[in-house]
Amino acid sequence: MAELDVKLKQVLKRFPPGDRWTPADEEQPIFSSLTEGIEWVFQQTKAHDYVIKAGEGKVFTYHEFEITPPEPEPPKTFNIYGEFE
């Protein structure tokens, strides 16, 4: 089974009071619901996977990348006298 590297990028933050949201790095636009905010993010990024941390008031896009294992070391070779080459 391949190892996965997970990248999270914050895309929305809650704008109190209530269920209002804004982009993580801007103050405008203000969305009247989480659904409206996620739809806006989808239209901007085409991201399908999200992590919602409701207690923190943050929404992240979620991307998994497979970590390729390192190439194995080549076998050691010895000459006829048993010395390492």
Side-chain angles (χ1 to χ4, degrees), residues 32-60:
S32 62
S33 69
L34 179 57
T35 304
E36 187 180 323
I38 290 176
E39 175 64 23
W40 180 83
V41 172
F42 174 75
Q43 294 299 328
Q44 301 295 315
T45 66
K46 302 300 183 212
H48 291 256
D49 301 311
Y50 301 93
V51 173
I52 300 171
K53 294 195 173 191
E56 296 177 23
K58 297 178 181 178
V59 177
F60 300 85

Side-chain angles (χ1 to χ4, degrees), residues 5-72:
D5 184 23
V6 175
K7 301 284 184 197
L8 296 178
K9 179 183 178 193
Q10 186 179 357
V11 290
L12 294 173
K13 62 183 176 190
R14 193 172 76 80
F15 184 73
D19 187 32
R20 298 187 307 166
W21 297 81
T22 62
D25 54 356
E26 300 172 20
E27 297 301 319
Q28 294 291 330
I30 298 174
F31 307 108
S32 62
S33 69
L34 179 57
T35 304
E36 187 180 323
I38 290 176
E39 175 64 23
W40 180 83
V41 172
F42 174 75
Q43 294 299 328
Q44 301 295 315
T45 66
K46 302 300 183 212
H48 291 256
D49 301 311
Y50 301 93
V51 173
I52 300 171
K53 294 195 173 191
E56 296 177 23
K58 297 178 181 178
V59 177
F60 300 85
T61 54
Y62 177 94
H63 299 282
E64 289 181 349
F65 301 95
E66 190 173 309
I67 299 174
T68 54
E71 293 290 323

